[in-house]
């Protein structure tokens, strides 16, 4: 039972050993091959040191790319400030983005953030009408922006709030007129 596999293993090892001896023997027996028509050695040439070539100029980013990168950093800062409740700081950073980009994306994000700042319920300078104007600016100026649809929603909600405020004022006014 076990004799066949051990015998085939022995044959395998013997073949490997013979192969190593045969190939190894060829490598060990080194005969010098005579050179045929070898060219004469060339005289040594001494090279004088030359000035190194100037390094390639540093490639600078285009001004637009730098401004867009800065604008994205300002946007992140503005969003972080808004999350911390620093409404004026967030507004200031969003305005910096607008100053850099002149109505090019991500200016739409900055304008949307400004709308959020004025719509924020905890902002002491909350102003729904101003927020609506910023959201409308996104809708009209950037109709393909991902913020346009959200701006439409905000305008609808804030318009509803403003109408309710107006109704409340009218009711209060009528109550005053009747009590006179």
């Amino acid at each position: 039972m076990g004799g066949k596999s051990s015998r085939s293993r022995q044959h395998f090892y013997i073949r490997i050993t013979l192969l190593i001896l045969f190939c190894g023997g060829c490598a060990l027996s080194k005969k010098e091959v005579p050179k045929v028509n070898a060219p004469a050695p060339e005289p040594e040439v001494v090279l004088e040191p030359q000035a190194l070539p100037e390094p390639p100029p540093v490639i600078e980013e285009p001004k637009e790319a730098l401004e867009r990168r800065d604008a994205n950093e300002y946007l992140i800062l503005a969003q972080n400030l808004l999350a911390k409740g620093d409404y004026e700081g967030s507004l200031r950073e969003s305005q910096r983005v607008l100053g850099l980009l002149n109505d090019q994306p991500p200016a739409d994000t900055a304008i949307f953030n400004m709308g959020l700042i004025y719509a924020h319920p905890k902002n002491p300078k909350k102003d729904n009408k101003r927020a609506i104007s910023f959201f409308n600016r996104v809708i009209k100026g950037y109709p393909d922006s991902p913020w346009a649809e959200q701006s439409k929603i905000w305008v609808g909600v804030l318009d509803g709030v403003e109408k309710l405020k107006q109704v409340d004022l009218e009711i209060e006014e009528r109550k005053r007129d009747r009590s006179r």
Side-chain angles (χ1 to χ4, degrees), residues 74-80 82 87 90-91 93-94 97 106-120 134-135 138 147 151:
Y74 296 145
L75 277 175
I76 291 169
L77 180 58
Q79 291 167 346
N80 289 336
L82 178 61
Y87 306 107
S90 181
L91 186 63
E93 295 303 319
S94 295
V97 172
D108 57 337
T109 306
I111 297 168
F112 182 81
N113 283 344
M114 293 167 78
L116 289 179
I117 292 166
Y118 283 109
H120 201 288
F134 281 114
F135 291 131
V138 172
W147 302 111
S151 294

Side-chain angles (χ1 to χ4, degrees), residues 55-63 65-66 69:
V58 176
I59 299 174
E60 294 184 20
E61 289 184 77
K63 183 180 178 185
L66 291 172
R69 187 179 58 209

